Amino acid sequence: MDYDGPVIQALASLSAQPVEINELRFENSFVAELPADPLLVNRPRQVQNACYTRVDPSAVSAPRLLAWSDDTGALLGIRRPAAAGGLATEVLGGNRVLPGMQPYAARYGGHQFGHWAGQLGDGRAITLGEVITPVGRRQELQLKGAGRTPYSRTADGRAVLRSSLREFMCSEAMHHLGVPTTRALSLVGTGDAVVRDMFYDGHARPEQGAIVCRVAPSFVRFGNFQLLSAHNEISTLKRLADYVLREHFPAQFSGPAPYADWFGEICRRTGALMADWMRLGFVHGVMNTDNLSILGLTIDYGPYGWLEGYDLEWTPNTTDAEGRRYCYGQQPQIAQWNLARLAEALLPLVPEKEQLEKGLALYADTFSAAWQRALAHKLGLAALEQPGDDELVSELFQALAERETDFTIFFRNLATPTIESLRAAYYDEDLPHPKLEAWLRRYVTRLRREKIPQSERQTKMCAVNPKYVFRNYLAQQAIDALEQGDASALERLMLVLKKPYDEQAAHQDLAARRPEWARHKAGCSALSCSS
Ligand code: AMP
Ligand code: MG
């Protein structure tokens, strides 16, 4: 009998009562097992030969709990705090470090927009400690916006409410869509103003500050390895790799080439993640190598967005509007480019380059197989394997691009494949859509060759084509309300986005196309990196 097996773990989690945050036992494996920056001086500087710097959060004036995720609380075994103030809020606002916590900021580098940027690091994120969850998994608690660290460069170490709400909500929405992601436990308003120039046009103004408590087994990024390799800190590089393998990929790679096999697994997970993003129309917006997780999680929610009108070149990030490096259609290629940079960083551990190239090939194979599978399922087909299926797909995307057609609504409504049912997806409902009409005839013929009853096909399609995604305009409405002290829009969205694939009759309005007033309003469609 395996004493740590899933049944025993499930029983343990059922019997464990949730506790207050101060009753958790904190561990610090990252701190204990990896080389530390010997200096504790908290001012911007280059750090050598270390994986992290010990640094505590800086206090804020008036922390207030603004939102809480019961799901992430349950994952950790923590009870929802009874009040908006109190001990949990003090901890999650960075005003109190609990016994057992050894807070730190991680050291990493990265390629930003295709160029090596040198040392970046956690400039405003501070990990408090690790918790072993009721089912026996390690999870890190990290505050984003918790104050300056040696990696803050010229910035203030803080985050504004609008970007924090977006990260808090989208992490949880992504999880409920079934996509690997870092999670979020809490959103705390700091009571302090943060000055930001939202449009980068010389009009800086004070905004409300906030802190998100993010949760993940690890926040290690491609860039942690890249920086060590770039600085020729090879023994530290090996220690970090060994730590990540031991803690996060236990007993997986016992063959003769463990690092190469591990790289292959990172490639596989990243390929699966890209297929998820693409199938849902999620655009990350800033796929720098410091924003790609070594565990294959979606990480660092910034100027992201969900495709509304289908457009391969769409990016929500105004900072990327010119180059469109990180637009929707580029994401799979960019992930591979980033993996190639990670492969270069791992060369000192894997002298045979061919082994790393095998990993990159596995990325391409994983992505294309997962994407083909996802497309088939989005269309209600068992597989794209019949003669004419490739044309069916390419003609569909041509039709979608011809008239501005909402990606999410289109696939959701395609369960009933008629022009009437799909009209709700057109941004101009009055325009005729001859290409789509022709495509629909072809599609309906193709459906007849599938051997499943219509109702079963519809149920299956609704289980992969979400009704609700966290559209930027919905995020902005929740932000505008919360900035006025009203959390009701946020709370309603949290509830609805827990079941994104379900019809929720009372919440139809949250599944609507982006309204015209939102097309060019800041934050409602596109937004800057300012956060
Ligand atoms: P991002 O583009 O958000 O992934 O951030 C890139 C780098 O800038 C990371 O090293 C962040 O920690 C850092 N950074 C971003 N905003 C701030 C801030 N307000 N204060 C300090 N560091 C920041
Ligand atoms: Mg980042």
Side-chain angles (χ1 to χ4, degrees):
M1 180 90 190
D2 175 359
Y3 289 102
D4 269 315
V7 174
I8 300 289
Q9 287 179 2
L11 287 174
S13 74
L14 280 180
S15 61
Q17 287 299 317
V19 298
E20 303 285 338
I21 197 166
N22 57 315
E23 296 173 281
L24 290 172
R25 201 168 61 82
F26 289 94
E27 296 196 357
N28 302 281
S29 71
F30 194 92
V31 167
E33 296 176 38
L34 292 169
D37 173 7
L39 295 183
L40 294 176
V41 189
N42 189 4
R43 85 171 105 74
R45 58 194 165 84
Q46 290 294 310
V47 173
Q48 307 297 327
N49 239 315
C51 289
Y52 65 90
T53 303
R54 286 271 283 109
V55 56
D56 285 342
S58 315
V60 300
S61 311
R64 253 185 82 77
L65 185 65
L66 300 175
W68 175 265
S69 164
D70 283 319
D71 295 296
T72 302
L75 173 77
L76 298 171
I78 311 184
R79 219 178 1 248
R80 177 188 275 260
L87 179 67
T89 304
E90 292 282 314
V91 173
L92 298 169
N95 281 9
R96 173 115 57 129
V97 171
L98 292 171
M101 289 176 168
Q102 294 180 20
Y104 75 87
R107 173 174 176 247
Y108 57 79
H111 279 86
Q112 296 185 317
F113 293 91
H115 304 284
W116 177 243
Q119 176 180 296
L120 297 166
D122 286 331
R124 54 175 168 173
I126 296 181
T127 289
L128 295 176
E130 304 151 10
V131 166
I132 305 299
T133 68
V135 295
R137 284 204 66 189
R138 186 179 297 279
Q139 296 281 351
E140 258 184 48
L141 270 62
Q142 182 181 80
L143 302 185
K144 183 166 174 180
R148 285 205 178 88
T149 78
Y151 307 98
S152 299
R153 296 176 288 160
T154 56
D156 60 5
R158 295 299 183 188
V160 290
L161 180 63
R162 59 183 157 80
S163 67
S164 305
L165 181 151
R166 286 170 50 86
E167 174 141 25
F168 173 82
M169 280 292 305
C170 204
S171 315
E172 294 304 278
M174 204 61 142
H175 168 73
H176 294 297
L177 284 162
V179 183
T181 177
T182 62
R183 303 291 301 275
L185 176 68
S186 57
L187 174 66
V188 170
T190 59
D192 294 320
V194 174
V195 175
R196 289 287 181 273
D197 182 357
M198 187 156 97
F199 302 107
Y200 298 127
D201 62 356
H203 291 88
R205 65 175 182 93
E207 298 186 49
Q208 296 177 40
I211 295 175
V212 174
C213 178
R214 310 197 284 193
V215 175
S218 169
F219 291 92
V220 171
R221 303 127 192 279
F222 292 8
N224 298 66
F225 297 93
Q226 283 185 287
L227 187 61
L228 297 172
S229 201
H231 288 206
N232 210 22
E233 298 170 8
I234 306 307
S235 69
T236 307
L237 175 73
K238 183 170 183 313
R239 281 182 67 181
L240 181 62
D242 289 342
Y243 166 80
V244 169
L245 258 87
R246 191 166 62 242
E247 282 298 336
H248 302 291
F249 298 83
Q252 277 193 42
F253 311 111
S254 50
Y259 301 119
D261 292 347
W262 167 56
F263 177 68
E265 174 62 10
I266 299 166
C267 289
R268 194 193 61 75
R269 290 189 190 186
T270 307
L273 183 69
M274 288 309 115
D276 270 332
W277 288 4
M278 297 303 285
R279 80 179 170 84
L280 294 164
F282 176 76
V283 186
H284 181 284
V286 199
M287 287 178 70
N288 293 333
T289 56
D290 53 303
N291 289 340
L292 263 86
S293 149
I294 210 74
L295 302 184
L297 308 172
T298 311
I299 191 172
D300 276 10
Y301 291 87
Y304 65 81
W306 300 83
L307 206 51
E308 292 183 306
Y310 172 79
D311 174 2
L312 285 172
E313 292 190 2
W314 184 70
T315 173
N317 182 357
T318 53
T319 315
D320 192 28
E322 207 149 302
R324 299 199 178 250
R325 179 180 173 85
Y326 299 138
C327 68
Y328 173 65
Q330 284 271 93
Q331 297 188 117
Q333 245 169 290
I334 290 291
Q336 189 165 29
W337 189 90
N338 288 347
L339 284 163
R341 304 290 80 73
L342 176 62
E344 286 163 6
L346 297 181
L347 265 176
L349 306 181
V350 187
E352 301 82 11
K353 211 169 149 219
E354 301 70 41
Q355 292 182 327
L356 294 167
E357 280 162 1
K358 265 196 342 213
L360 293 172
L362 179 63
Y363 167 80
D365 292 346
T366 307
F367 172 72
S368 70
W371 177 229
Q372 288 299 305
R373 204 164 42 242
L375 279 174
H377 294 168
K378 284 184 88 61
L379 292 169
L381 304 173
L384 294 170
E385 58 186 2
Q386 299 201 6
D389 280 357
D390 289 347
E391 292 75 22
L392 186 77
V393 170
S394 61
E395 283 174 21
L396 167 62
F397 286 122
Q398 280 167 29
L400 293 188
E402 193 195 48
R403 292 260 186 273
E404 192 179 28
T405 313
D406 191 274
F407 183 79
T408 304
I409 300 175
F410 177 84
F411 280 102
R412 181 70 180 188
N413 289 13
L414 190 61
T416 307
T418 63
I419 277 287
E420 294 66 45
S421 128
L422 293 168
R423 203 176 294 283
Y426 309 168
Y427 278 82
D428 186 341
E429 289 192 21
D430 298 331
L431 280 179
H433 209 332
K435 258 202 180 143
L436 188 62
E437 286 182 37
W439 181 83
L440 271 176
R441 283 192 289 277
R442 186 172 180 162
Y443 173 61
V444 169
T445 310
R446 173 65 179 83
L447 280 181
R448 289 202 198 101
R449 298 209 294 270
E450 293 287 298
K451 299 276 175 285
I452 64 167
Q454 174 165 300
S455 63
E456 196 181 315
R457 174 182 58 76
Q458 289 179 323
T459 307
K460 281 188 161 167
M461 285 176 78
C462 289
V464 296
N465 292 315
K467 173 105 178 177
Y468 300 96
V469 293
F470 189 47
R471 294 169 185 269
N472 279 348
Y473 88 90
L474 297 174
Q476 192 58 44
Q477 288 176 326
I479 290 164
D480 291 342
L482 193 63
E483 284 182 344
Q484 304 303 315
D486 174 5
S488 59
L490 164 64
E491 282 161 9
R492 178 169 172 235
L493 277 165
M494 276 194 83
L495 199 70
V496 171
L497 293 171
K498 267 184 198 225
K499 296 195 163 93
Y501 299 98
D502 287 6
E503 290 292 326
Q504 301 178 55
H507 303 292
Q508 287 289 341
D509 56 314
L510 299 181
R513 287 194 304 260
R514 180 193 60 227
E516 284 309 311
W517 60 257
R519 185 179 288 273
H520 300 294
K521 185 167 182 258
C524 290
S525 173
L527 55 161
S528 76
C529 279
S530 148
S531 60

